[in-house]
Amino acid sequence: MVTFHPSATSLEIRHRHEVLTIEAWGVDSVRVRAAQYRIPAESQGALDVAPASPAPSIEAGDAHATFRHGELTVEVDFDLGAAYPEPLLTFRRTSTGEELLTESREHFWMPGARSYQGNRSGAYEIHQQFAAYDDEKLYGMGQRTHGRLDLKGLSLDLVQRNAEVNIPFVLSNRGYGLLWNMPAVGRVEFAQNATRWSVGQAREIDYWLTAAPTPAAIMARYADATGHVPDLPQWASGVWQCKLRYLDQDELLGVAREHKRRGLPMSVIVTDYFHWSAMGDYRFDEAEWPDPQAMVDELHELGIELMVSIWPTISPLSENFADYRDQGLLVGSDQGVEFHQTIRDKGMTTPMPLAFYDPTNPRTREYVWDLVRRNYLDLGIKVFWLDASEPELNPAHPGNLTLHAGPGAEVANIYPRDNARLFAEGMAAAGQEPTVLLCRSAWAGAQKHGAAVWSGDIPATWLSLEQQIRAGLNIAISGIPWWTTDIGGFHGGDSRDPAYRELMIRWFQYGVFCPLFRLHGDRDPRTPTSYAQTGGPNEVWSFGDEAYEVIADLLHLRERLRPYIHEQMRLAATDGLPPMRPLFVDHPDDPGAWEVEDEFLFGPDILVAPISRAGQRSRAVYLPRGARWVDAATGDVHEGGQTIEADAPLERIPVFTREGSSVPLRP
């Protein structure tokens, strides 16, 4: 027997031990939660407060109920003829009756569509299964290295790793978006026979679904539900310069001065890891950085912001370690001591175990921010690089963690989101404007804290560049409009090698049209990870005269694009529309736009077709229907809805502008 209990904004369904709720959660959107006995009072997910929306219409009978909310209708059916009936949900578009998504049973007998396998702790291994559709295309799920834009047919781990950013939001060409609002470690399978979400340990099922009419509207509803990104600061749209590690104050200032001497623009320069006295001190090593105030002041006179790297790792040699340990500010261990990584930090003769601070603990956030404020912000430093923020575990056992928010198996995926929250809350408490937090990982909702994600420690290869194109588009769909890569890749690359110089040119030509424009990498000759690292040269003049001429032109192009970029960033802040996006976002009625994986729109008026193969000097480019497209290099005009062969000499990649736009691509 099933019972229905409607209220003004929700419908509760009870069957045996299970309680299932459907609640209006923004326009055309619902939140679905299910659990044994009771819905947990606390959630660590991304859905804090329901956005305003009209009241739903709810009808309930003996074995069927209907929940209508704008363009989304949820039908609940209880098949009395089944051997083991359970309430099953079907999501439809209200105006057409079209099926968007429906639950399906794992087995015709049992289990059903929602499976709970207890572990005698009050938590469960949980499965949630939906039907699969042969013609479905799926996008999002954060940032991955599988090299695919369409995720159909893939199995993806729901866990944070270096270069694998788990944001469990998926957008379907069938006209819905779904957020798996559960930060537990698990997996999703977008298989041919079913779509199944599963986690190893959780207390409930919790997901959000919207049926907004277009991909752009779906992303807008998602931003309403999880939070809007701030407006991008004016300084952040320019050139960001970095190498693996500038060893000291003189070296960093020398690079900044040389940029200005050459007439090259620069907005940000980076003091990377090991600039500190010890991990957890969060201050400059005075032996290498004797006068950081003078350094910051000179950079500001040059129009450059200084970004500092801040790792969440705490060395046992830190002057603050006893405070972290004794005040309970560290990530705990289910078994073993509170050390979850090894590295050779300052004062160590060999790599030693390190702890991680726990940003899900409000007291940790206050303690760490106080150090950051006194040692960085008070110097005028307001840009923070939140590296290794997955957190990067060794061994990679998130289920062994215990956090203030809960067991690692249940909540570990929110670590990077709450790490960004630490700095966003701190800046707000200090009366500062929102800043850009360069993060190596994120989860749903991180964007509202100013998280800008980069694609992690990727190899310096052509295949890696090809993968980045898809990775950047999927994380844009996942609600992160601020994104970038290490131009040239991170691991390797010899600035003296002509083959690598070609890759660097092509990566810069792609990077100039990314939301953030940033050079970084550990160039040859490379050395083992430790405080002695510096990495090979990685300045724009390091790659030879031919490359320098092309790259310098791209730096000036970026300057011309900055007003256009900020127009797009304002839309990202208000409407959740990322500036870098797949063609189908602007052209959802063009079937061809849904097939293209290696082109993108940068705002509505620039179409970019990167080159990601060595020696390639032309490529096929699909031009979306519904517009005429102007070749930015030749001025030739082409009708949309066709594929053309476009030239790509070494000095440029194919770029087109929408006819009638006035984007300043030429000097």
mmCIF file of all heavy atoms in Angstrom, residues 90 114 222 316 413 540 601:
data_model
loop_
_atom_site.group_PDB
_atom_site.id
_atom_site.type_symbol
_atom_site.label_atom_id
_atom_site.label_comp_id
_atom_site.label_asym_id
_atom_site.label_seq_id
_atom_site.Cartn_x
_atom_site.Cartn_y
_atom_site.Cartn_z
ATOM 1 N N THR A 90 7.981 9.363 -13.129
ATOM 2 C CA THR A 90 8.209 9.724 -14.528
ATOM 3 C C THR A 90 8.144 11.234 -14.629
ATOM 4 O O THR A 90 7.210 11.864 -14.109
ATOM 5 C CB THR A 90 7.157 9.099 -15.452
ATOM 6 O OG1 THR A 90 7.259 7.663 -15.364
ATOM 7 C CG2 THR A 90 7.384 9.521 -16.899
ATOM 8 N N ARG A 114 15.003 2.297 -6.660
ATOM 9 C CA ARG A 114 15.762 2.883 -5.550
ATOM 10 C C ARG A 114 16.124 1.754 -4.589
ATOM 11 O O ARG A 114 15.244 1.105 -4.024
ATOM 12 C CB ARG A 114 14.937 3.963 -4.835
ATOM 13 C CG ARG A 114 14.531 5.115 -5.755
ATOM 14 C CD ARG A 114 13.622 6.114 -5.038
ATOM 15 N NE ARG A 114 12.420 5.490 -4.519
ATOM 16 C CZ ARG A 114 11.330 5.213 -5.219
ATOM 17 N NH1 ARG A 114 11.282 5.522 -6.513
ATOM 18 N NH2 ARG A 114 10.286 4.632 -4.664
ATOM 19 N N TYR A 222 19.771 26.103 -12.997
ATOM 20 C CA TYR A 222 20.793 25.459 -12.168
ATOM 21 C C TYR A 222 21.549 26.494 -11.336
ATOM 22 O O TYR A 222 21.816 26.279 -10.145
ATOM 23 C CB TYR A 222 21.734 24.675 -13.077
ATOM 24 C CG TYR A 222 22.906 24.020 -12.380
ATOM 25 C CD1 TYR A 222 22.714 23.116 -11.347
ATOM 26 C CD2 TYR A 222 24.202 24.284 -12.777
ATOM 27 C CE1 TYR A 222 23.790 22.499 -10.719
ATOM 28 C CE2 TYR A 222 25.285 23.670 -12.158
ATOM 29 C CZ TYR A 222 25.073 22.780 -11.132
ATOM 30 O OH TYR A 222 26.139 22.182 -10.518
ATOM 31 N N PRO A 316 53.984 18.808 9.868
ATOM 32 C CA PRO A 316 54.202 18.666 11.314
ATOM 33 C C PRO A 316 55.288 19.602 11.830
ATOM 34 O O PRO A 316 55.396 19.794 13.056
ATOM 35 C CB PRO A 316 54.615 17.195 11.463
ATOM 36 C CG PRO A 316 55.099 16.789 10.117
ATOM 37 C CD PRO A 316 54.316 17.581 9.126
ATOM 38 N N ASN A 413 33.410 14.799 -1.239
ATOM 39 C CA ASN A 413 33.421 15.571 -2.486
ATOM 40 C C ASN A 413 33.183 17.061 -2.291
ATOM 41 O O ASN A 413 33.447 17.849 -3.207
ATOM 42 C CB ASN A 413 32.391 14.994 -3.461
ATOM 43 C CG ASN A 413 32.875 13.707 -4.101
ATOM 44 O OD1 ASN A 413 34.044 13.570 -4.440
ATOM 45 N ND2 ASN A 413 31.977 12.743 -4.260
ATOM 46 N N VAL A 540 57.037 34.093 -22.152
ATOM 47 C CA VAL A 540 56.621 34.078 -23.560
ATOM 48 C C VAL A 540 57.797 34.241 -24.517
ATOM 49 O O VAL A 540 57.699 33.855 -25.683
ATOM 50 C CB VAL A 540 55.550 35.152 -23.832
ATOM 51 C CG1 VAL A 540 54.298 34.870 -23.032
ATOM 52 C CG2 VAL A 540 56.074 36.546 -23.527
ATOM 53 N N LEU A 601 31.706 28.257 -28.865
ATOM 54 C CA LEU A 601 31.401 29.680 -28.926
ATOM 55 C C LEU A 601 32.021 30.362 -27.715
ATOM 56 O O LEU A 601 31.968 29.843 -26.595
ATOM 57 C CB LEU A 601 29.899 29.912 -28.946
ATOM 58 C CG LEU A 601 29.197 29.553 -30.259
ATOM 59 C CD1 LEU A 601 27.687 29.555 -30.076
ATOM 60 C CD2 LEU A 601 29.591 30.512 -31.380
#
